Amino acid sequence: MGYVQDAVGPSVPPPGWTPTDVPKAPVSQPPETLDGADAAVRWRISAAGIDNILVILAYLLVCAVLGWRVVALGHLWVSSALALAYHFAFEARYGQTIGKRQYGLRVVSADGGQAGTRAIAIRSVLRFVDALPTCYVSGLVSMMRTGPARRQRIGDIAGQTMVVAVEGRALDRGTPRWMLPSATIFGLLMSAVLIFGIAHGASRPLTVRDRDAFITGCERSAMAPPDACACLLTRLEDDGYNTTGALRELYDNERRDAASGTLGPDSRNVVAALTACRFPTPASSGPLA
């Protein structure tokens, strides 16, 4: 049939015809589509639960090896350092922590490519900012603000990264639309309760339980009779130390003066109260020391 084609020549469209029916080539997209960021939200929360458990277990192991008390403010930095090292090491090497791998999540750059080491370091360090003031509320608010295409927490914005669903349950099941707003509202409410408690707890008048605890602690630390400790508390309340916050500040200032060998206004008030209540111990080592 070649001689027929040679006689007819190449196919030429008729005049006025435009190729409207020619299919367009598909636009290439990275494997982590923008919808994956919104689908990942629910599973980011679940993955964080697994990762936090692993960090806590590592912290408990460190405490057991070093003979540390588990609940000690001086050791909290160790837990924070472990969390930072864990997330950075796994996300820089594999793009996902153990928790993220469990649910099919991956940390990628904002354009959908592989996230660099510097970007992972930034998002890892700012994880602590996202957690403020409690319940990860700063991160949740940021995820709401950046919208479904990105769902970036503060660390993601600074590091130009995002977390997307790439496989498994996260990709198959996604996230209900109500979940992120509900989690954000819950976090805001819990943060408000925490801030209110801190702000008003310090100005709360002493309760009967507070007074009993003060007197008991006074008896044990100063080896003083109950009536002398009750007298001390009464004198301190008369001097204006009648809230939990005021007593805590008095305690801190008295400890600071004792360490520096000085006698500030609060310490002078303590000495006067100890003298008036005839404490058997020297005033410089009073019950607040």
Side-chain angles (χ1 to χ4, degrees):
M1 298 294 291
Y3 65 90
V4 176
Q5 293 178 352
D6 293 339
V8 175
S11 175
V12 178
W17 181 82
T18 56
T20 56
D21 297 330
V22 177
K24 296 181 179 180
V27 179
S28 61
Q29 294 182 349
E32 297 84 6
T33 62
L34 296 181
D35 291 340
D38 197 31
V41 172
R42 170 186 180 183
W43 308 101
R44 291 175 72 172
I45 299 174
S46 301
I50 294 178
D51 293 332
N52 289 338
I53 291 175
L54 294 175
V55 172
I56 291 173
L57 291 176
Y59 173 70
L60 293 177
L61 179 60
V62 171
C63 290
V65 172
L66 299 179
W68 287 353
R69 289 178 52 196
V70 174
V71 183
L73 292 178
H75 300 158
L76 289 181
W77 67 270
V78 178
S79 177
S80 300
L82 288 172
L84 174 62
Y86 167 78
H87 285 90
F88 173 76
F90 275 89
E91 291 178 357
R93 178 67 177 84
Y94 305 105
Q96 53 189 180
T97 59
I98 296 175
K100 289 183 175 69
R101 185 190 309 167
Q102 176 69 24
Y103 295 106
L105 305 175
R106 181 178 295 131
V107 180
V108 298
S109 64
D111 60 5
Q114 182 178 357
T117 302
R118 181 176 179 273
I120 296 297
I122 293 174
R123 79 182 306 272
S124 298
V125 171
L126 293 182
R127 182 177 300 275
F128 306 114
V129 176
D130 284 294
L132 296 174
T134 185
C135 295
Y136 232 84
V137 69
S138 295
L140 291 171
V141 171
S142 178
M143 291 168 66
M144 286 285 296
R145 186 183 65 83
T146 52
R150 300 292 181 183
R151 295 303 186 205
Q152 294 169 299
R153 58 178 179 83
I154 297 172
D156 287 318
I157 295 175
Q160 297 184 7
T161 60
M162 61 182 181
V163 179
V164 295
V166 294
E167 59 184 354
R169 280 175 282 183
L171 188 62
D172 295 338
R173 299 169 61 179
T175 299
R177 293 184 179 274
W178 56 265
M179 179 164 287
L180 181 57
S182 299
T184 305
I185 292 173
F186 175 79
L188 288 170
L189 290 176
M190 292 300 296
S191 298
V193 170
L194 175 65
I195 294 172
F196 180 85
I198 293 175
H200 292 270
S203 60
R204 175 177 57 83
L206 297 176
T207 64
V208 174
R209 179 177 297 180
D210 294 331
R211 293 185 175 89
D212 291 342
F214 180 95
I215 293 173
T216 301
C218 170
E219 294 175 23
R220 293 176 179 175
S221 62
M223 301 298 293
D227 56 343
C229 291
C231 170
L232 173 63
L233 178 57
T234 300
R235 290 295 300 260
L236 291 177
E237 288 184 291
D238 292 341
D239 289 338
Y241 305 103
N242 53 6
T243 66
T244 56
L247 279 182
R248 188 177 299 112
E249 184 178 0
L250 172 65
Y251 172 81
D252 292 338
N253 292 339
E254 200 267 347
R255 288 284 299 272
R256 190 178 302 111
D257 289 346
S260 62
T262 59
L263 198 65
D266 289 328
S267 295
R268 284 195 290 269
N269 290 337
V270 172
V271 171
L274 291 171
T275 303
C277 295
R278 300 179 181 180
F279 262 75
T281 56
S284 59
S285 60
L288 298 182

